[in-house]
Amino acid sequence: MERGKIIYVNSFEDLNVHVFTIGYPIEGEAILFIISDKGKPIFTSLTDCYITEECNHIETILSRFQNHAIDIFFWTHPDKDHSVGIKDILNKFDTYKTARIFLPSSFDSENAYNISDDIKSSLKYLYDNYNSKTKYNMHQACVTPGEYRSLFYFDILELKSRNILRCDFKCLAPIDSIIARRRYNDSKNKTNDLSIVYTVELNGSKLLFTGDLTNQTAQFLNGDYLSDVNMIKIPHHASDEPKNFNGILFSHNIRDIISVTTIKSPKHPSENVINDYKKLNHEVYSTGKGDDIYGCIEYSMNLKSMVPIINCTGNALQL
């Protein structure tokens, strides 16, 4: 488990959490998680990366916050739609290469997956800049079946009260048994099966980020842990592939909001999946596909009141 520095603030009332789910009309997904103090960012994580020649909405958001740095980068799995622009973003927003990088534990060499030369180049860039010489900033995510464990946490200390809020990033997947089987059989990894799944726990709230979770992994997830989730990024662009996972979720009461990145391909989103989520009386959002060059769902809440506010820009919409 990695521990971050203590962050000091005057009042928890000035703290806000922002989750930006970004998608593009054809393909692409990235998620920014930002904690701000009076509008100034004090912590930022990026999950996956995608930009186009026409649009780099990650940079647009970070520039809006006058962001000083990316603190964590989660690369859930090396599919193209999660893996474009990594070097560009980190070069601009992590100048000193101090960010912690989390990869699926199977993603330890260029030969682990059937990946393109561009993605191999991104992997090499990360190892050359974050895990060489005296730097040990790259970490691999992995859990045993039914387990969840902390990958990284930091504390926010309120100066006037000396109270502490902990922000904890907990890993639910990939599963070490699946990884071991693949390695023993000398088989190439299926990227979605070994996607990172993690939550952010903060002030009693759980935010769930599922990458492109599939059935192979879903069967091992701890269902009890999922019962108190406030927000979820629906797995795999709302396809019907993770049926086991959807079944687990539908048996629990996810309290607030479900957001989904969709690219409207023939396979996903699945109308059945979307309708099943709607039956739970939750709001379902999509980054959509339309005339704009991007879609973005912003989920924000004050850390004192914990009341979410949803804002859609570009192609994004409520389904």
Side-chain angles (χ1 to χ4, degrees), residues 115-173:
I115 57 177
S116 67
D117 289 340
D118 287 345
I119 295 177
K120 288 180 181 179
S121 176
S122 295
L123 181 63
K124 184 177 186 304
Y125 164 80
L126 292 177
Y127 273 105
D128 288 347
N129 288 275
Y130 292 90
N131 202 23
S132 64
K133 298 180 180 178
T134 59
K135 289 187 177 179
Y136 297 91
N137 289 359
M138 290 185 67
H139 310 278
Q140 296 189 358
C142 185
V143 293
T144 59
E147 177 196 23
Y148 53 89
R149 70 178 182 89
S150 180
L151 293 173
F152 173 85
Y153 74 91
F154 64 92
D155 292 323
I156 305 173
L157 189 148
E158 186 180 49
L159 292 173
K160 67 178 183 179
S161 68
R162 310 305 292 180
N163 290 329
I164 289 177
L165 281 178
R166 174 157 295 181
C167 184
D168 199 347
F169 293 77
K170 289 189 175 177
C171 180
L172 281 71

Side-chain angles (χ1 to χ4, degrees), residues 127-264:
Y127 273 105
D128 288 347
N129 288 275
Y130 292 90
N131 202 23
S132 64
K133 298 180 180 178
T134 59
K135 289 187 177 179
Y136 297 91
N137 289 359
M138 290 185 67
H139 310 278
Q140 296 189 358
C142 185
V143 293
T144 59
E147 177 196 23
Y148 53 89
R149 70 178 182 89
S150 180
L151 293 173
F152 173 85
Y153 74 91
F154 64 92
D155 292 323
I156 305 173
L157 189 148
E158 186 180 49
L159 292 173
K160 67 178 183 179
S161 68
R162 310 305 292 180
N163 290 329
I164 289 177
L165 281 178
R166 174 157 295 181
C167 184
D168 199 347
F169 293 77
K170 289 189 175 177
C171 180
L172 281 71
I175 308 300
D176 60 0
S177 301
I178 301 174
I179 295 167
R181 179 183 294 184
R182 297 273 169 77
R183 283 179 172 161
Y184 179 76
N185 293 328
D186 293 325
S187 57
K188 293 287 186 181
N189 290 310
K190 297 178 181 178
T191 54
N192 289 346
D193 283 349
L194 297 174
S195 174
I196 290 177
V197 177
Y198 74 94
T199 63
V200 180
E201 291 187 14
L202 184 60
N203 199 21
S205 177
K206 290 180 186 175
L207 311 178
L208 176 59
F209 303 96
T210 58
D212 278 4
L213 172 71
T214 57
N215 287 327
Q216 174 99 351
T217 299
Q219 63 183 315
F220 295 112
L221 295 186
N222 186 320
D224 293 337
Y225 179 76
L226 302 174
S227 61
D228 296 320
V229 171
N230 290 64
M231 188 214 82
I232 175 176
K233 198 287 292 185
I234 297 175
H236 201 195
H237 315 285
S239 79
D240 59 3
E241 156 61 19
K243 294 178 182 177
N244 295 334
F245 180 74
N246 291 333
I248 291 171
L249 284 178
F250 298 155
S251 66
H252 291 90
N253 178 29
I254 300 175
R255 292 178 302 201
D256 290 328
I257 179 73
I258 299 170
S259 69
V260 52
T261 298
T262 66
I263 57 177
K264 295 191 181 290

Side-chain angles (χ1 to χ4, degrees), residues 90-108:
L90 291 179
N91 272 345
K92 182 160 187 175
F93 293 100
D94 188 30
T95 306
Y96 299 105
K97 303 297 179 284
T98 57
R100 290 168 172 84
I101 311 296
F102 289 93
L103 307 176
S105 61
S106 57
F107 193 18
D108 50 10

